[in-house]
Amino acid sequence: MPGQAASQRSASLALLATILLWAYSWVVMKQVLAFAGPFDFAAMRYLLGAAVLFVALTLSRQPLKPPPLLPTILIGLCQTAAFQGLEQWALVSGGAGHVALLAYTMPFWAVLLAWLILRERPTGRHWLGLLLAALGLVCIIEPWRGLGNAASTVLAIAGGAAWAAGTVLSKRLFRLHAVSALNLTAWQMLAGGVALGIVALAVPQRNIAWSGAFMAGLAYSVLMASSLAWWLWSIVLRRLPTTLASVSSLGVPIVGVLLAWAILHEEPRPMEWVGIGFVLLGLCAVSGVRRRRP
């Protein structure tokens, strides 16, 4: 149908924009740690991001009434508080490209959680994809090197699992209720931002060094990587299948690795390239990508 095709086309454009916005955000997230603690920055980023989205709701004359509250809070705790808090923490001792790769194990966790929560039973190709991804993770982590950044690795993977939980819960909410993508993004971001704010107050961190570079990084993170990108991501989840949306998002760490190499001089090791190859093969298996016959 023409309307459905147009909807999927707009969702694909939203996905492409999200990939580019989030890829650069990993570089920014690493850079701002020279000026602020991880939880202070994450809390500021998402509380300000939520404020921007509520302004957008008001200007677009959309209702401010929250979606079903308990599911929205759970999404915020998983998708904003746990995911972003853990990933920002992982960046304290880990490289931006390395952490981004591990965070984007999300699609594989999403396959398993969609089975448990949405009753989307994994197929044989899903299991094959998970196996290939596991091999890729081993190559990226390189446990034979002594796991010098074991804490960063565990935090990054845990953050990916938390994001997967938020993704599946969002998809479930969209199935059960007529929820606006912008409205859900604003309320879940507020819930997650409040949780991050509580953590920031409870955990000792370095004092914020206000500077032009920090303000620029915060502005990009609030306006582009948080407000705009998470709203686009909600549109993607609403209009595209869960597996396709989750798997396609893995373009982010690949672009992120290249940007971290170019900007932060984090040159990937040979085994990381091998790991990226295995992960991409796993993605092809999970998404069912195959060469079309002429």
PDB file of all heavy atoms in Angstrom, residues 269-281:
ATOM      1  N   ARG A 269      42.455  -2.586  16.949  1.00  0.00           N
ATOM      2  CA  ARG A 269      43.426  -3.668  16.812  1.00  0.00           C
ATOM      3  C   ARG A 269      42.941  -4.650  15.749  1.00  0.00           C
ATOM      4  O   ARG A 269      41.746  -4.706  15.434  1.00  0.00           O
ATOM      5  CB  ARG A 269      43.603  -4.393  18.152  1.00  0.00           C
ATOM      6  CG  ARG A 269      44.159  -3.501  19.259  1.00  0.00           C
ATOM      7  CD  ARG A 269      44.494  -4.336  20.494  1.00  0.00           C
ATOM      8  NE  ARG A 269      43.325  -5.012  21.037  1.00  0.00           N
ATOM      9  CZ  ARG A 269      42.524  -4.488  21.957  1.00  0.00           C
ATOM     10  NH1 ARG A 269      42.750  -3.264  22.422  1.00  0.00           N
ATOM     11  NH2 ARG A 269      41.494  -5.160  22.399  1.00  0.00           N
ATOM     12  N   PRO A 270      43.858  -5.449  15.164  1.00  0.00           N
ATOM     13  CA  PRO A 270      43.450  -6.411  14.125  1.00  0.00           C
ATOM     14  C   PRO A 270      42.308  -7.331  14.564  1.00  0.00           C
ATOM     15  O   PRO A 270      41.380  -7.582  13.788  1.00  0.00           O
ATOM     16  CB  PRO A 270      44.737  -7.202  13.854  1.00  0.00           C
ATOM     17  CG  PRO A 270      45.835  -6.244  14.177  1.00  0.00           C
ATOM     18  CD  PRO A 270      45.335  -5.433  15.333  1.00  0.00           C
ATOM     19  N   MET A 271      42.361  -7.834  15.814  1.00  0.00           N
ATOM     20  CA  MET A 271      41.311  -8.739  16.270  1.00  0.00           C
ATOM     21  C   MET A 271      39.975  -8.023  16.419  1.00  0.00           C
ATOM     22  O   MET A 271      38.917  -8.651  16.311  1.00  0.00           O
ATOM     23  CB  MET A 271      41.712  -9.387  17.593  1.00  0.00           C
ATOM     24  CG  MET A 271      42.786 -10.462  17.461  1.00  0.00           C
ATOM     25  SD  MET A 271      42.337 -11.777  16.266  1.00  0.00           S
ATOM     26  CE  MET A 271      40.900 -12.492  17.054  1.00  0.00           C
ATOM     27  N   GLU A 272      39.993  -6.715  16.666  1.00  0.00           N
ATOM     28  CA  GLU A 272      38.735  -5.970  16.730  1.00  0.00           C
ATOM     29  C   GLU A 272      38.072  -5.926  15.355  1.00  0.00           C
ATOM     30  O   GLU A 272      36.849  -6.019  15.244  1.00  0.00           O
ATOM     31  CB  GLU A 272      38.989  -4.558  17.260  1.00  0.00           C
ATOM     32  CG  GLU A 272      39.203  -4.509  18.766  1.00  0.00           C
ATOM     33  CD  GLU A 272      39.295  -3.098  19.294  1.00  0.00           C
ATOM     34  OE1 GLU A 272      40.119  -2.323  18.771  1.00  0.00           O
ATOM     35  OE2 GLU A 272      38.554  -2.756  20.236  1.00  0.00           O
ATOM     36  N   TRP A 273      38.904  -5.774  14.295  1.00  0.00           N
ATOM     37  CA  TRP A 273      38.338  -5.817  12.950  1.00  0.00           C
ATOM     38  C   TRP A 273      37.738  -7.186  12.655  1.00  0.00           C
ATOM     39  O   TRP A 273      36.674  -7.296  12.034  1.00  0.00           O
ATOM     40  CB  TRP A 273      39.409  -5.489  11.915  1.00  0.00           C
ATOM     41  CG  TRP A 273      39.823  -4.046  11.878  1.00  0.00           C
ATOM     42  CD1 TRP A 273      41.059  -3.539  12.138  1.00  0.00           C
ATOM     43  CD2 TRP A 273      38.994  -2.927  11.558  1.00  0.00           C
ATOM     44  NE1 TRP A 273      41.061  -2.175  12.010  1.00  0.00           N
ATOM     45  CE2 TRP A 273      39.805  -1.764  11.648  1.00  0.00           C
ATOM     46  CE3 TRP A 273      37.655  -2.784  11.206  1.00  0.00           C
ATOM     47  CZ2 TRP A 273      39.305  -0.490  11.403  1.00  0.00           C
ATOM     48  CZ3 TRP A 273      37.159  -1.507  10.961  1.00  0.00           C
ATOM     49  CH2 TRP A 273      37.983  -0.381  11.053  1.00  0.00           C
ATOM     50  N   VAL A 274      38.428  -8.251  13.094  1.00  0.00           N
ATOM     51  CA  VAL A 274      37.879  -9.607  12.926  1.00  0.00           C
ATOM     52  C   VAL A 274      36.553  -9.723  13.672  1.00  0.00           C
ATOM     53  O   VAL A 274      35.569 -10.273  13.165  1.00  0.00           O
ATOM     54  CB  VAL A 274      38.886 -10.662  13.430  1.00  0.00           C
ATOM     55  CG1 VAL A 274      38.260 -12.054  13.406  1.00  0.00           C
ATOM     56  CG2 VAL A 274      40.155 -10.636  12.587  1.00  0.00           C
ATOM     57  N   GLY A 275      36.518  -9.187  14.913  1.00  0.00           N
ATOM     58  CA  GLY A 275      35.292  -9.228  15.701  1.00  0.00           C
ATOM     59  C   GLY A 275      34.161  -8.478  15.038  1.00  0.00           C
ATOM     60  O   GLY A 275      33.010  -8.945  15.025  1.00  0.00           O
ATOM     61  N   ILE A 276      34.464  -7.309  14.471  1.00  0.00           N
ATOM     62  CA  ILE A 276      33.446  -6.543  13.755  1.00  0.00           C
ATOM     63  C   ILE A 276      32.877  -7.375  12.604  1.00  0.00           C
ATOM     64  O   ILE A 276      31.665  -7.395  12.360  1.00  0.00           O
ATOM     65  CB  ILE A 276      34.040  -5.223  13.223  1.00  0.00           C
ATOM     66  CG1 ILE A 276      34.326  -4.271  14.382  1.00  0.00           C
ATOM     67  CG2 ILE A 276      33.102  -4.567  12.209  1.00  0.00           C
ATOM     68  CD1 ILE A 276      35.083  -3.028  13.970  1.00  0.00           C
ATOM     69  N   GLY A 277      33.762  -8.091  11.899  1.00  0.00           N
ATOM     70  CA  GLY A 277      33.306  -8.937  10.796  1.00  0.00           C
ATOM     71  C   GLY A 277      32.342 -10.011  11.258  1.00  0.00           C
ATOM     72  O   GLY A 277      31.292 -10.234  10.636  1.00  0.00           O
ATOM     73  N   PHE A 278      32.666 -10.686  12.380  1.00  0.00           N
ATOM     74  CA  PHE A 278      31.777 -11.724  12.911  1.00  0.00           C
ATOM     75  C   PHE A 278      30.438 -11.127  13.354  1.00  0.00           C
ATOM     76  O   PHE A 278      29.367 -11.724  13.140  1.00  0.00           O
ATOM     77  CB  PHE A 278      32.438 -12.450  14.084  1.00  0.00           C
ATOM     78  CG  PHE A 278      33.306 -13.596  13.684  1.00  0.00           C
ATOM     79  CD1 PHE A 278      34.667 -13.591  13.975  1.00  0.00           C
ATOM     80  CD2 PHE A 278      32.773 -14.696  13.027  1.00  0.00           C
ATOM     81  CE1 PHE A 278      35.480 -14.649  13.600  1.00  0.00           C
ATOM     82  CE2 PHE A 278      33.576 -15.763  12.648  1.00  0.00           C
ATOM     83  CZ  PHE A 278      34.936 -15.746  12.932  1.00  0.00           C
ATOM     84  N   VAL A 279      30.493  -9.951  13.997  1.00  0.00           N
ATOM     85  CA  VAL A 279      29.259  -9.318  14.448  1.00  0.00           C
ATOM     86  C   VAL A 279      28.374  -8.964  13.258  1.00  0.00           C
ATOM     87  O   VAL A 279      27.156  -9.174  13.281  1.00  0.00           O
ATOM     88  CB  VAL A 279      29.571  -8.066  15.290  1.00  0.00           C
ATOM     89  CG1 VAL A 279      28.304  -7.256  15.537  1.00  0.00           C
ATOM     90  CG2 VAL A 279      30.197  -8.464  16.619  1.00  0.00           C
ATOM     91  N   LEU A 280      28.969  -8.429  12.184  1.00  0.00           N
ATOM     92  CA  LEU A 280      28.189  -8.088  10.998  1.00  0.00           C
ATOM     93  C   LEU A 280      27.573  -9.326  10.354  1.00  0.00           C
ATOM     94  O   LEU A 280      26.429  -9.301   9.888  1.00  0.00           O
ATOM     95  CB  LEU A 280      29.063  -7.348   9.992  1.00  0.00           C
ATOM     96  CG  LEU A 280      29.474  -5.927  10.387  1.00  0.00           C
ATOM     97  CD1 LEU A 280      30.427  -5.340   9.361  1.00  0.00           C
ATOM     98  CD2 LEU A 280      28.252  -5.038  10.537  1.00  0.00           C
ATOM     99  N   LEU A 281      28.326 -10.437  10.341  1.00  0.00           N
ATOM    100  CA  LEU A 281      27.749 -11.691   9.832  1.00  0.00           C
ATOM    101  C   LEU A 281      26.572 -12.129  10.694  1.00  0.00           C
ATOM    102  O   LEU A 281      25.550 -12.612  10.185  1.00  0.00           O
ATOM    103  CB  LEU A 281      28.829 -12.779   9.815  1.00  0.00           C
ATOM    104  CG  LEU A 281      29.898 -12.665   8.729  1.00  0.00           C
ATOM    105  CD1 LEU A 281      30.974 -13.732   8.939  1.00  0.00           C
ATOM    106  CD2 LEU A 281      29.275 -12.816   7.338  1.00  0.00           C
TER     107      LEU A 281
END
